[in-house]
Short mmCIF file of all heavy atoms in Angstrom, two decimals:
data_model
loop_
_atom_site.label_atom_id
_atom_site.label_comp_id
_atom_site.label_asym_id
_atom_site.label_seq_id
_atom_site.Cartn_x
_atom_site.Cartn_y
_atom_site.Cartn_z
N MET A 1 44.21 39.17 20.88
CA MET A 1 44.72 38.71 19.54
C MET A 1 43.82 37.58 19.03
O MET A 1 43.42 36.73 19.73
CB MET A 1 46.11 38.24 19.42
CG MET A 1 47.21 39.35 19.73
SD MET A 1 48.76 38.83 19.27
CE MET A 1 49.18 37.50 20.41
N PRO A 2 43.39 37.67 17.75
CA PRO A 2 42.58 36.56 17.29
C PRO A 2 43.22 35.20 17.13
O PRO A 2 44.49 35.32 16.82
CB PRO A 2 42.10 37.07 15.89
CG PRO A 2 42.76 38.46 15.77
CD PRO A 2 43.59 38.69 16.73
N TYR A 3 42.58 34.16 17.24
CA TYR A 3 42.98 32.83 17.03
C TYR A 3 42.65 32.46 15.56
O TYR A 3 41.55 32.77 15.09
CB TYR A 3 42.38 31.84 17.87
CG TYR A 3 42.66 31.92 19.36
CD1 TYR A 3 41.85 32.80 20.16
CD2 TYR A 3 43.81 31.44 19.93
CE1 TYR A 3 42.19 32.88 21.61
CE2 TYR A 3 44.21 31.70 21.18
CZ TYR A 3 43.32 32.40 22.06
OH TYR A 3 43.59 32.55 23.40
N TYR A 4 43.59 31.92 14.71
CA TYR A 4 43.36 31.45 13.49
C TYR A 4 43.34 29.96 13.19
O TYR A 4 44.20 29.25 13.86
CB TYR A 4 44.48 32.08 12.65
CG TYR A 4 44.38 33.67 12.43
CD1 TYR A 4 45.03 34.42 13.44
CD2 TYR A 4 43.64 34.27 11.55
CE1 TYR A 4 44.99 35.87 13.47
CE2 TYR A 4 43.51 35.67 11.54
CZ TYR A 4 44.24 36.40 12.42
OH TYR A 4 44.19 37.82 12.39
N TRP A 5 42.47 29.61 12.32
CA TRP A 5 42.35 28.18 12.01
C TRP A 5 42.26 28.04 10.48
O TRP A 5 41.79 29.00 9.85
CB TRP A 5 41.08 27.54 12.62
CG TRP A 5 41.05 27.60 14.11
CD1 TRP A 5 40.82 28.72 14.85
CD2 TRP A 5 41.06 26.40 14.98
NE1 TRP A 5 40.86 28.23 16.20
CE2 TRP A 5 40.97 26.87 16.22
CE3 TRP A 5 41.24 25.09 14.81
CZ2 TRP A 5 41.12 25.98 17.38
CZ3 TRP A 5 41.38 24.18 15.67
CH2 TRP A 5 41.31 24.71 17.12
N TYR A 6 42.61 26.94 9.95
CA TYR A 6 42.26 26.74 8.47
C TYR A 6 41.42 25.49 8.35
O TYR A 6 41.42 24.56 8.98
CB TYR A 6 43.47 26.74 7.66
CG TYR A 6 44.38 25.43 7.79
CD1 TYR A 6 44.09 24.25 7.12
CD2 TYR A 6 45.58 25.46 8.53
CE1 TYR A 6 44.86 23.13 7.20
CE2 TYR A 6 46.36 24.46 8.63
CZ TYR A 6 46.04 23.18 7.95
OH TYR A 6 46.95 22.06 7.98
N ASN A 7 40.63 25.57 7.34
CA ASN A 7 39.62 24.50 7.01
C ASN A 7 40.52 23.38 6.35
O ASN A 7 41.15 23.44 5.39
CB ASN A 7 38.58 24.94 6.14
CG ASN A 7 37.40 24.11 5.90
OD1 ASN A 7 37.59 22.81 5.97
ND2 ASN A 7 36.28 24.73 5.56
N ASP A 8 40.23 22.07 6.99
CA ASP A 8 40.97 21.02 6.48
C ASP A 8 40.46 20.61 4.94
O ASP A 8 41.19 19.94 4.28
CB ASP A 8 40.65 19.84 7.22
CG ASP A 8 41.52 19.91 8.60
OD1 ASP A 8 42.62 20.57 8.58
OD2 ASP A 8 41.06 19.34 9.71
N LYS A 9 39.26 20.98 4.70
CA LYS A 9 38.68 20.75 3.35
C LYS A 9 38.93 21.97 2.50
O LYS A 9 38.94 23.08 2.95
CB LYS A 9 37.21 20.56 3.47
CG LYS A 9 36.75 19.33 4.35
CD LYS A 9 35.33 19.14 4.55
CE LYS A 9 35.02 17.97 5.24
NZ LYS A 9 33.62 17.81 5.60
N ILE A 10 39.13 21.70 1.11
CA ILE A 10 39.54 22.73 0.25
C ILE A 10 38.20 23.49 -0.38
O ILE A 10 37.19 22.75 -0.41
CB ILE A 10 40.41 22.14 -0.93
CG1 ILE A 10 39.70 21.03 -1.67
CG2 ILE A 10 41.76 21.76 -0.38
CD1 ILE A 10 40.41 20.67 -2.87
N ASP A 11 38.41 24.68 -0.76
CA ASP A 11 37.20 25.22 -1.41
C ASP A 11 37.32 25.06 -3.00
O ASP A 11 38.02 24.20 -3.38
CB ASP A 11 37.38 26.82 -1.06
CG ASP A 11 38.53 27.45 -1.85
OD1 ASP A 11 39.25 26.89 -2.58
OD2 ASP A 11 38.90 28.68 -1.45
N SER A 12 36.51 25.74 -3.62
CA SER A 12 36.23 25.38 -5.06
C SER A 12 37.49 25.67 -5.98
O SER A 12 37.70 25.31 -6.98
CB SER A 12 35.01 26.05 -5.61
OG SER A 12 35.18 27.49 -5.40
N HIS A 13 38.50 26.50 -5.30
CA HIS A 13 39.70 26.84 -6.01
C HIS A 13 40.87 26.08 -5.54
O HIS A 13 42.08 26.22 -5.90
CB HIS A 13 40.00 28.41 -5.66
CG HIS A 13 38.96 29.27 -6.20
ND1 HIS A 13 38.69 29.59 -7.49
CD2 HIS A 13 37.96 29.89 -5.56
CE1 HIS A 13 37.79 30.44 -7.61
NE2 HIS A 13 37.29 30.61 -6.43
N GLY A 14 40.55 24.99 -4.73
CA GLY A 14 41.67 24.14 -4.17
C GLY A 14 42.51 24.73 -3.07
O GLY A 14 43.54 24.26 -2.63
N ASN A 15 41.94 25.86 -2.43
CA ASN A 15 42.55 26.48 -1.25
C ASN A 15 41.93 26.08 0.06
O ASN A 15 40.73 25.73 0.18
CB ASN A 15 42.47 27.95 -1.42
CG ASN A 15 43.20 28.58 -2.61
OD1 ASN A 15 44.45 28.26 -2.72
ND2 ASN A 15 42.55 29.48 -3.32
N HIS A 16 42.76 26.05 1.05
CA HIS A 16 42.25 25.90 2.49
C HIS A 16 42.04 27.30 2.99
O HIS A 16 42.87 28.07 3.05
CB HIS A 16 43.32 25.20 3.34
CG HIS A 16 43.54 23.78 2.88
ND1 HIS A 16 42.91 22.67 3.42
CD2 HIS A 16 44.32 23.26 1.86
CE1 HIS A 16 43.28 21.51 2.87
NE2 HIS A 16 44.07 21.90 1.91
N GLU A 17 40.82 27.59 3.23
CA GLU A 17 40.34 28.86 3.79
C GLU A 17 40.80 29.10 5.21
O GLU A 17 40.50 28.22 6.13
CB GLU A 17 38.87 28.95 3.68
CG GLU A 17 38.42 30.36 3.41
CD GLU A 17 36.98 30.50 2.81
OE1 GLU A 17 36.15 29.91 3.45
OE2 GLU A 17 36.79 31.05 1.79
N VAL A 18 41.39 30.16 5.52
CA VAL A 18 41.81 30.64 6.80
C VAL A 18 40.83 31.49 7.48
O VAL A 18 40.35 32.40 6.81
CB VAL A 18 43.31 31.29 6.76
CG1 VAL A 18 43.62 31.76 8.13
CG2 VAL A 18 44.30 30.34 6.11
N HIS A 19 40.50 31.26 8.62
CA HIS A 19 39.47 31.99 9.43
C HIS A 19 40.03 32.49 10.82
O HIS A 19 40.80 31.75 11.51
CB HIS A 19 38.29 31.25 9.75
CG HIS A 19 37.49 30.75 8.54
ND1 HIS A 19 36.54 31.54 7.85
CD2 HIS A 19 37.62 29.68 7.82
CE1 HIS A 19 36.10 30.83 6.82
NE2 HIS A 19 36.77 29.71 6.77
N ARG A 20 39.40 33.61 11.28
CA ARG A 20 39.51 33.97 12.71
C ARG A 20 38.48 33.06 13.43
O ARG A 20 37.46 32.78 12.91
CB ARG A 20 39.18 35.36 12.89
CG ARG A 20 40.16 36.41 12.24
CD ARG A 20 39.76 37.77 12.44
NE ARG A 20 40.82 38.71 12.03
CZ ARG A 20 40.89 39.85 12.63
NH1 ARG A 20 40.08 40.27 13.44
NH2 ARG A 20 41.84 40.72 12.01
N SER A 21 38.87 32.80 14.72
CA SER A 21 38.00 31.79 15.42
C SER A 21 36.49 32.32 15.64
O SER A 21 35.65 31.50 15.82
CB SER A 21 38.67 31.49 16.66
OG SER A 21 38.86 32.58 17.54
N ASN A 22 36.42 33.63 15.63
CA ASN A 22 34.90 34.15 15.82
C ASN A 22 34.19 34.30 14.54
O ASN A 22 33.17 34.85 14.67
CB ASN A 22 35.12 35.48 16.51
CG ASN A 22 35.80 36.61 15.81
OD1 ASN A 22 36.34 36.25 14.70
ND2 ASN A 22 35.94 37.80 16.33
N CYS A 23 34.79 33.82 13.39
CA CYS A 23 34.03 33.98 12.09
C CYS A 23 32.77 33.14 12.17
O CYS A 23 32.84 31.90 12.57
CB CYS A 23 34.97 33.58 11.13
SG CYS A 23 34.21 33.78 9.45
N LYS A 24 31.70 33.63 11.60
CA LYS A 24 30.53 32.75 11.57
C LYS A 24 30.81 31.74 10.46
O LYS A 24 29.92 30.84 10.36
CB LYS A 24 29.32 33.57 11.28
CG LYS A 24 29.24 34.19 9.90
CD LYS A 24 27.90 35.07 9.72
CE LYS A 24 27.79 35.73 8.48
NZ LYS A 24 26.49 36.39 8.23
N TYR A 25 31.73 31.78 9.64
CA TYR A 25 31.98 30.76 8.71
C TYR A 25 33.17 29.79 8.99
O TYR A 25 33.58 29.01 8.33
CB TYR A 25 32.30 31.40 7.21
CG TYR A 25 31.19 32.08 6.63
CD1 TYR A 25 31.06 33.50 6.84
CD2 TYR A 25 30.06 31.44 6.12
CE1 TYR A 25 29.99 34.23 6.37
CE2 TYR A 25 28.98 32.11 5.57
CZ TYR A 25 28.91 33.46 5.69
OH TYR A 25 27.77 34.04 5.34
N MET A 26 33.54 29.85 10.27
CA MET A 26 34.55 28.93 10.87
C MET A 26 34.06 27.60 10.63
O MET A 26 32.88 27.19 10.94
CB MET A 26 34.78 29.12 12.38
CG MET A 26 36.07 29.65 12.68
SD MET A 26 37.39 28.76 12.31
CE MET A 26 37.23 27.59 13.75
N PRO A 27 34.79 26.57 10.13
CA PRO A 27 34.26 25.19 10.03
C PRO A 27 34.27 24.53 11.43
O PRO A 27 34.84 25.12 12.32
CB PRO A 27 35.39 24.57 9.21
CG PRO A 27 36.61 25.38 9.38
CD PRO A 27 36.09 26.73 9.52
N ASN A 28 33.54 23.54 11.46
CA ASN A 28 33.57 22.67 12.70
C ASN A 28 35.08 22.37 13.07
O ASN A 28 35.73 22.03 12.23
CB ASN A 28 32.68 21.35 12.38
CG ASN A 28 32.51 20.55 13.62
OD1 ASN A 28 33.52 20.06 14.22
ND2 ASN A 28 31.36 20.32 14.02
N LEU A 29 35.26 22.39 14.32
CA LEU A 29 36.70 22.23 14.71
C LEU A 29 37.15 20.81 14.45
O LEU A 29 38.30 20.46 14.36
CB LEU A 29 36.87 22.41 16.27
CG LEU A 29 36.68 24.02 16.66
CD1 LEU A 29 36.92 24.07 18.19
CD2 LEU A 29 37.54 24.81 15.86
N HIS A 30 36.27 19.87 14.14
CA HIS A 30 36.72 18.59 13.67
C HIS A 30 37.26 18.50 12.31
O HIS A 30 37.99 17.63 11.91
CB HIS A 30 35.52 17.53 13.64
CG HIS A 30 35.06 17.22 15.09
ND1 HIS A 30 35.89 16.55 16.03
CD2 HIS A 30 33.85 17.58 15.67
CE1 HIS A 30 35.05 16.55 17.21
NE2 HIS A 30 33.95 17.10 17.01
N ASN A 31 37.02 19.61 11.63
CA ASN A 31 37.40 19.85 10.13
C ASN A 31 38.42 21.01 10.11
O ASN A 31 38.55 21.53 8.96
CB ASN A 31 36.24 20.10 9.23
CG ASN A 31 35.30 18.86 9.21
OD1 ASN A 31 35.76 17.68 9.28
ND2 ASN A 31 34.05 19.01 9.29
N ALA A 32 38.96 21.47 11.13
CA ALA A 32 39.83 22.62 11.08
C ALA A 32 41.16 22.39 11.80
O ALA A 32 41.23 21.50 12.71
CB ALA A 32 39.26 23.83 11.77
N SER A 33 42.21 22.98 11.39
CA SER A 33 43.59 22.83 11.95
C SER A 33 44.04 24.14 12.54
O SER A 33 43.81 25.31 11.85
CB SER A 33 44.67 22.41 10.94
OG SER A 33 44.31 21.15 10.52
N TYR A 34 44.49 24.27 13.75
CA TYR A 34 44.88 25.41 14.41
C TYR A 34 46.19 25.96 13.86
O TYR A 34 47.13 25.23 13.64
CB TYR A 34 45.06 25.15 15.97
CG TYR A 34 45.38 26.35 16.79
CD1 TYR A 34 44.45 27.42 16.83
CD2 TYR A 34 46.57 26.34 17.44
CE1 TYR A 34 44.85 28.53 17.70
CE2 TYR A 34 46.97 27.38 18.40
CZ TYR A 34 45.97 28.59 18.35
OH TYR A 34 46.23 29.55 19.17
N ILE A 35 46.20 27.28 13.62
CA ILE A 35 47.37 27.89 13.04
C ILE A 35 48.08 28.73 14.34
O ILE A 35 49.32 28.40 14.54
CB ILE A 35 47.02 28.85 12.00
CG1 ILE A 35 46.40 28.32 10.82
CG2 ILE A 35 48.38 29.58 11.48
CD1 ILE A 35 45.72 29.21 9.89
N GLY A 36 47.36 29.52 15.03
CA GLY A 36 48.05 30.14 16.05
C GLY A 36 47.24 31.54 16.37
O GLY A 36 46.18 31.78 15.85
N GLU A 37 47.91 32.34 17.33
CA GLU A 37 47.32 33.57 17.70
C GLU A 37 48.08 34.55 17.30
O GLU A 37 49.37 34.63 17.45
CB GLU A 37 47.31 33.43 19.21
CG GLU A 37 46.53 34.55 20.00
CD GLU A 37 46.58 34.50 21.41
OE1 GLU A 37 47.32 33.63 21.95
OE2 GLU A 37 45.97 35.26 22.12
N PHE A 38 47.61 35.54 16.47
CA PHE A 38 48.39 36.66 15.81
C PHE A 38 47.81 38.01 15.88
O PHE A 38 46.54 38.08 15.96
CB PHE A 38 48.70 36.13 14.40
CG PHE A 38 49.29 34.89 14.11
CD1 PHE A 38 48.47 33.82 13.80
CD2 PHE A 38 50.70 34.70 14.55
CE1 PHE A 38 49.14 32.52 13.53
CE2 PHE A 38 51.18 33.39 14.27
CZ PHE A 38 50.42 32.36 13.94
N THR A 39 48.57 38.95 15.80
CA THR A 39 48.03 40.30 15.68
C THR A 39 47.34 40.80 14.41
O THR A 39 46.39 41.36 14.38
CB THR A 39 49.11 41.37 16.03
OG1 THR A 39 49.74 41.07 17.32
CG2 THR A 39 48.61 42.67 16.12
N TYR A 40 48.07 40.22 13.42
CA TYR A 40 47.80 40.67 11.97
C TYR A 40 47.25 39.39 11.14
O TYR A 40 48.03 38.34 11.29
CB TYR A 40 48.66 41.50 11.35
CG TYR A 40 49.15 42.74 12.05
CD1 TYR A 40 50.29 42.76 12.65
CD2 TYR A 40 48.16 43.77 12.13
CE1 TYR A 40 50.65 43.91 13.32
CE2 TYR A 40 48.62 44.99 12.77
CZ TYR A 40 49.81 44.95 13.38
OH TYR A 40 50.09 46.24 14.08
N ASP A 41 46.39 39.62 10.27
CA ASP A 41 45.96 38.51 9.49
C ASP A 41 47.13 37.96 8.54
O ASP A 41 47.22 36.70 8.33
CB ASP A 41 44.88 38.96 8.46
CG ASP A 41 43.58 39.35 9.15
OD1 ASP A 41 43.41 38.92 10.32
OD2 ASP A 41 42.75 40.06 8.53
N PHE A 42 47.99 38.96 8.09
CA PHE A 42 49.03 38.37 7.23
C PHE A 42 50.01 37.47 7.83
O PHE A 42 50.56 36.41 7.33
CB PHE A 42 49.77 39.36 6.58
CG PHE A 42 50.84 40.18 7.44
CD1 PHE A 42 52.09 39.78 7.45
CD2 PHE A 42 50.47 41.29 8.23
CE1 PHE A 42 53.05 40.32 8.30
CE2 PHE A 42 51.39 41.89 9.05
CZ PHE A 42 52.64 41.52 9.08
N GLN A 43 50.01 37.58 9.22
CA GLN A 43 50.95 36.67 10.01
C GLN A 43 50.39 35.31 10.08
O GLN A 43 51.09 34.37 10.05
CB GLN A 43 51.14 37.29 11.43
CG GLN A 43 51.90 38.60 11.53
CD GLN A 43 51.85 39.24 12.98
OE1 GLN A 43 50.83 39.34 13.59
NE2 GLN A 43 52.92 39.48 13.34
N ALA A 44 49.02 35.26 10.12
CA ALA A 44 48.45 33.93 10.20
C ALA A 44 48.64 33.15 8.87
O ALA A 44 48.79 32.02 8.80
CB ALA A 44 46.92 34.14 10.48
N MET A 45 48.59 33.95 7.74
CA MET A 45 48.73 33.40 6.38
C MET A 45 50.34 32.85 6.26
O MET A 45 50.43 31.80 5.83
CB MET A 45 48.60 34.47 5.30
CG MET A 45 47.04 34.89 5.34
SD MET A 45 45.81 33.76 5.19
CE MET A 45 46.09 33.10 3.68
N GLN A 46 51.23 33.63 6.72
CA GLN A 46 52.59 33.29 6.79
C GLN A 46 52.75 32.11 7.44
O GLN A 46 53.53 31.01 7.09
CB GLN A 46 53.55 34.38 7.20
CG GLN A 46 53.65 35.53 6.33
CD GLN A 46 54.62 36.68 6.95
OE1 GLN A 46 54.84 36.66 8.20
NE2 GLN A 46 54.93 37.63 6.25
N ASN A 47 52.23 31.92 8.65
CA ASN A 47 52.48 30.88 9.51
C ASN A 47 51.78 29.55 8.89
O ASN A 47 52.28 28.42 9.08
CB ASN A 47 52.01 31.12 10.95
CG ASN A 47 53.07 31.84 11.66
OD1 ASN A 47 53.95 31.21 12.35
ND2 ASN A 47 53.17 33.17 11.66
N ALA A 48 50.64 29.77 8.34
CA ALA A 48 49.91 28.63 7.74
C ALA A 48 50.78 28.03 6.69
O ALA A 48 50.98 26.79 6.60
CB ALA A 48 48.59 28.99 7.15
N ARG A 49 51.54 28.83 5.94
CA ARG A 49 52.32 28.28 4.83
C ARG A 49 53.68 27.72 5.35
O ARG A 49 54.29 26.87 4.66
CB ARG A 49 52.75 29.49 3.90
CG ARG A 49 51.40 29.99 3.04
CD ARG A 49 51.73 30.99 2.12
NE ARG A 49 50.40 31.29 1.41
CZ ARG A 49 49.78 32.51 1.38
NH1 ARG A 49 50.26 33.50 2.15
NH2 ARG A 49 48.57 32.53 0.82
N LYS A 50 54.04 28.14 6.56
CA LYS A 50 55.10 27.38 7.23
C LYS A 50 54.81 25.98 7.70
O LYS A 50 55.52 25.16 7.73
CB LYS A 50 55.58 28.20 8.46
CG LYS A 50 56.56 29.41 8.06
CD LYS A 50 57.07 29.84 9.45
CE LYS A 50 57.36 31.53 9.16
NZ LYS A 50 57.54 32.17 10.44
N LEU A 51 53.44 25.87 8.19
CA LEU A 51 53.07 24.61 8.79
C LEU A 51 52.84 23.62 7.61
O LEU A 51 52.95 22.32 7.82
CB LEU A 51 51.67 24.83 9.34
CG LEU A 51 51.61 25.52 10.58
CD1 LEU A 51 50.06 25.84 11.14
CD2 LEU A 51 52.35 24.71 11.79
N SER A 52 52.50 24.07 6.38
CA SER A 52 52.12 23.11 5.44
C SER A 52 52.40 23.60 4.06
O SER A 52 52.28 24.89 3.80
CB SER A 52 50.66 22.78 5.53
OG SER A 52 50.10 22.21 4.45
N TRP A 53 52.56 22.78 3.02
CA TRP A 53 52.63 23.18 1.61
C TRP A 53 51.34 23.33 0.96
O TRP A 53 51.24 23.56 -0.33
CB TRP A 53 53.40 22.13 0.90
CG TRP A 53 54.99 22.11 1.27
CD1 TRP A 53 55.61 21.21 2.09
CD2 TRP A 53 55.89 23.10 0.96
NE1 TRP A 53 56.81 21.60 2.27
CE2 TRP A 53 57.16 22.70 1.72
CE3 TRP A 53 55.97 24.21 0.24
CZ2 TRP A 53 58.24 23.41 1.48
CZ3 TRP A 53 57.14 25.00 0.17
CH2 TRP A 53 58.28 24.67 0.81
N LYS A 54 50.26 23.17 1.65
CA LYS A 54 48.81 23.40 1.08
C LYS A 54 48.72 24.72 0.61
O LYS A 54 49.47 25.67 1.12
CB LYS A 54 47.82 23.16 2.14
CG LYS A 54 47.83 21.61 2.74
CD LYS A 54 46.81 21.51 3.91
CE LYS A 54 46.81 20.00 4.24
NZ LYS A 54 46.33 19.85 5.71
N LYS A 55 47.69 24.96 -0.23
CA LYS A 55 47.53 26.36 -0.70
C LYS A 55 46.46 26.90 0.28
O LYS A 55 45.49 26.25 0.62
CB LYS A 55 46.90 26.35 -2.11
CG LYS A 55 47.92 25.76 -3.16
CD LYS A 55 47.45 26.26 -4.56
CE LYS A 55 46.06 25.70 -5.00
NZ LYS A 55 45.61 26.31 -6.10
N PHE A 56 46.62 28.14 0.64
CA PHE A 56 45.74 28.80 1.48
C PHE A 56 45.09 30.10 0.98
O PHE A 56 45.88 30.84 0.24
CB PHE A 56 46.52 29.21 2.85
CG PHE A 56 47.00 28.08 3.63
CD1 PHE A 56 48.29 27.57 3.57
CD2 PHE A 56 46.18 27.28 4.43
CE1 PHE A 56 48.75 26.52 4.22
CE2 PHE A 56 46.58 26.21 5.17
CZ PHE A 56 47.86 25.83 5.01
N ASP A 57 43.98 30.44 1.45
CA ASP A 57 43.36 31.82 1.07
C ASP A 57 42.68 32.38 2.31
O ASP A 57 42.13 31.51 3.06
CB ASP A 57 42.34 31.60 -0.11
CG ASP A 57 42.12 32.92 -0.62
OD1 ASP A 57 42.82 33.83 -0.66
OD2 ASP A 57 40.98 33.00 -1.26
N GLY A 58 42.59 33.66 2.51
CA GLY A 58 42.02 34.12 3.57
C GLY A 58 40.52 34.21 3.37
O GLY A 58 40.11 34.36 2.26
N CYS A 59 39.73 34.16 4.41
CA CYS A 59 38.29 34.19 4.29
C CYS A 59 37.83 35.52 3.90
O CYS A 59 38.24 36.51 4.32
CB CYS A 59 37.76 33.84 5.72
SG CYS A 59 35.87 34.03 5.78
N PHE A 60 36.91 35.52 2.93
CA PHE A 60 36.35 36.72 2.41
C PHE A 60 35.65 37.59 3.46
O PHE A 60 35.75 38.93 3.44
CB PHE A 60 35.24 36.30 1.28
CG PHE A 60 34.55 37.59 0.76
CD1 PHE A 60 35.10 38.43 -0.24
CD2 PHE A 60 33.31 37.94 1.25
CE1 PHE A 60 34.52 39.44 -0.77
CE2 PHE A 60 32.71 39.05 0.66
CZ PHE A 60 33.28 39.81 -0.30
N PHE A 61 35.05 36.96 4.48
CA PHE A 61 34.38 37.70 5.55
C PHE A 61 35.21 38.14 6.60
O PHE A 61 34.98 39.32 7.14
CB PHE A 61 33.15 36.81 6.02
CG PHE A 61 32.19 36.49 4.84
CD1 PHE A 61 32.34 35.25 4.22
CD2 PHE A 61 31.31 37.41 4.56
CE1 PHE A 61 31.40 35.10 3.17
CE2 PHE A 61 30.36 37.21 3.56
CZ PHE A 61 30.51 35.88 2.76
N CYS A 62 36.00 37.41 7.18
CA CYS A 62 36.77 37.61 8.49
C CYS A 62 38.14 38.19 8.19
O CYS A 62 38.66 38.89 9.11
CB CYS A 62 36.77 36.58 9.40
SG CYS A 62 37.59 35.15 8.96
N MET A 63 38.79 38.06 6.98
CA MET A 63 40.14 38.50 6.83
C MET A 63 40.27 38.92 5.27
O MET A 63 40.93 38.29 4.54
CB MET A 63 41.30 37.66 7.15
CG MET A 63 40.98 36.12 6.96
SD MET A 63 42.11 35.10 8.04
CE MET A 63 43.69 35.70 7.29
N PRO A 64 39.36 39.84 4.88
CA PRO A 64 39.26 40.25 3.48
C PRO A 64 40.51 40.79 2.76
O PRO A 64 40.69 40.62 1.56
CB PRO A 64 38.14 41.37 3.45
CG PRO A 64 38.03 41.87 4.80
CD PRO A 64 38.47 40.71 5.64
N THR A 65 41.45 41.33 3.58
CA THR A 65 42.70 41.84 2.95
C THR A 65 43.57 40.71 2.56
O THR A 65 44.41 40.78 1.74
CB THR A 65 43.53 42.65 4.01
OG1 THR A 65 43.90 41.91 5.16
CG2 THR A 65 42.81 43.94 4.28
N GLU A 66 43.36 39.44 3.01
CA GLU A 66 44.06 38.23 2.68
C GLU A 66 43.13 37.32 1.74
O GLU A 66 43.73 36.27 1.47
CB GLU A 66 44.55 37.39 3.93
CG GLU A 66 45.37 38.19 4.77
CD GLU A 66 46.77 38.62 4.17
OE1 GLU A 66 47.18 37.93 3.19
OE2 GLU A 66 47.30 39.66 4.47
N HIS A 67 42.07 37.72 1.36
CA HIS A 67 41.19 36.94 0.46
C HIS A 67 41.62 37.32 -0.95
O HIS A 67 41.54 38.48 -1.39
CB HIS A 67 39.87 37.27 0.59
CG HIS A 67 38.83 36.48 -0.26
ND1 HIS A 67 38.63 35.25 -0.22
CD2 HIS A 67 38.17 37.00 -1.38
CE1 HIS A 67 37.86 34.91 -1.14
NE2 HIS A 67 37.61 35.86 -1.88
N HIS A 68 41.99 36.32 -1.81
CA HIS A 68 42.47 36.42 -3.10
C HIS A 68 41.35 35.71 -4.12
O HIS A 68 41.57 35.78 -5.32
CB HIS A 68 43.81 36.28 -3.44
CG HIS A 68 44.79 37.06 -2.53
ND1 HIS A 68 44.86 38.33 -2.70
CD2 HIS A 68 45.49 36.63 -1.38
CE1 HIS A 68 45.73 38.81 -1.68
NE2 HIS A 68 46.10 37.86 -0.97
N GLY A 69 40.67 34.97 -3.53
CA GLY A 69 39.51 34.19 -4.34
C GLY A 69 40.21 33.16 -5.28
O GLY A 69 39.48 32.73 -6.16
ZN1 ZN B 101 36.04 33.62 8.00
#
C-alpha cells in the first residue's frame, strides 16, 4: 500500500497537496506531514481531513482522481 504525505506549504489555491511517497513531486520530508498507509487515494484524503482542518487537494501526477485544482 502506498504511504501518503501532505505538503506543509500551500499551493497557489491555498491547498495542501497530498502525495504518494514515491511521487517525484513529493516535498522534502522536512516540509511534509505523514498521513498514513492506505489502499485507495480517497482514503488518504479522508484521513488528511480528519487530521487537520486545512484544505487538501490530491496531487495532479500521483493521485489524479483526487486532484481538483
Ligand atoms: Zn504527487
Side-chain angles (χ1 to χ4, degrees):
M1 291 195 293
Y3 296 95
Y4 292 87
W5 297 73
Y6 70 81
N7 195 328
D8 290 332
K9 298 179 179 173
I10 56 172
D11 65 13
S12 58
H13 302 284
N15 294 312
H16 294 264
E17 212 164 51
V18 178
H19 296 271
R20 295 178 173 206
S21 60
N22 62 354
C23 178
K24 65 176 176 176
Y25 293 99
M26 252 296 283
N28 186 297
L29 292 186
H30 294 294
N31 297 318
S33 296
Y34 183 61
I35 303 168
E37 187 182 7
F38 304 102
T39 305
Y40 299 109
D41 292 345
F42 79 89
Q43 295 172 309
M45 300 306 292
Q46 285 178 346
N47 278 271
R49 293 183 175 112
K50 278 185 207 164
L51 289 174
S52 165
W53 292 104
K54 292 169 179 163
K55 292 199 301 172
F56 295 99
D57 193 29
C59 171
F60 177 81
F61 296 95
C62 64
M63 38 194 301
T65 59
E66 297 299 331
H67 176 77
H68 302 292

